[in-house]
Amino acid sequence: MLDFIGMVITAALMLLVVNALTTFMDVSRVARITLAALIGVWIGLAAAAAGAGWLTISRPVPVVGFFVVAPLLATGLATAWPAACKAILSIPMPVMVALNIVRVFAVLFLMLAAEGRLTGPFPYSAAWGDIITGVVAVPVLWLLKDGGARYTTAIAAWNLFGAADLVLAIAFGITSSEGSPLQLFPGPGSEAMQHAPWSFVPTVLVPIWLILHGIIAVQLR
């Protein structure tokens, strides 16, 4: 039952993110369709990798790490193109903050931990960090209603916390598993993160949220 709920929520979140980015990004219709298609292909690759059991591969480097790093590198390289950089920075900050509210669904990690399907510090750190980020995103939206210029420090602090939570979750995923310190979610008690729907969190949602936090940081500057 928990997997069913997780599939519904993760699918809805990925659809929400794609629609939000393609709707609010100031680009042409062709660019919107292209972006949606690229994200769709990425989600398909993530699903295929999980289905094939590739996410359990940890040597020489964890395959799941590729799904985290590749979107970040692609976005960084895209900013070297002025038109792409302008398009990325055109996403309204309130939209990006609002997309973080849904991180409260990380409460599902606590449920997985209660069932013994996630162990170690990862589920608790990731869950509570995401829940706090999602809850605090609501008052941050209120601060942004008048432009947010007077509350830059508070918004920046929330943004830093949200990004740090994701980085810390990845770090715990790497170091809390058994075996090589380069392993990411392969050990006993962490099998859930290797298969859908939970595998979509590190392979799709985490990179997107990290990118959004980076864009917010640049906009605040």
Side-chain angles (χ1 to χ4, degrees), residues 34-45:
T34 301
L35 176 62
L38 289 174
I39 298 177
V41 169
W42 188 256
I43 293 173
L45 286 174

Side-chain angles (χ1 to χ4, degrees), residues 127-215:
W128 286 113
D130 279 346
I131 291 171
I132 293 171
T133 300
V135 170
V136 178
V138 177
V140 170
L141 278 177
W142 182 83
L143 297 179
L144 288 170
K145 66 183 180 66
D146 294 324
R150 293 181 298 170
Y151 308 103
T152 300
T153 301
I155 298 171
W158 167 85
N159 188 57
L160 179 60
F161 177 87
D165 165 61
L166 297 173
V167 173
L168 185 61
I170 294 172
F172 277 137
I174 293 175
T175 60
S176 64
S177 55
E178 296 184 357
S180 168
L182 287 179
Q183 291 182 345
L184 189 62
F185 306 120
S190 59
E191 292 86 353
M193 301 304 297
Q194 303 167 15
H195 307 288
W198 315 108
S199 60
F200 287 120
V201 176
T203 59
V204 178
L205 294 175
V206 166
I208 290 177
W209 277 318
L210 281 173
I211 290 170
L212 294 181
H213 280 301
I215 298 172

Side-chain angles (χ1 to χ4, degrees), residues 9 22 26 37 56-57 63 70 72-73 80 84 100-101 103 116 119 126 136 141 147 159 169 183 191 196 202 205-206:
I9 291 177
T22 55
D26 186 17
T56 62
I57 299 174
V63 171
L72 302 180
L73 289 177
N100 276 274
I101 295 176
R103 286 167 67 175
T119 58
V136 178
L141 278 177
N159 188 57
Q183 291 182 345
E191 292 86 353
L205 294 175
V206 166

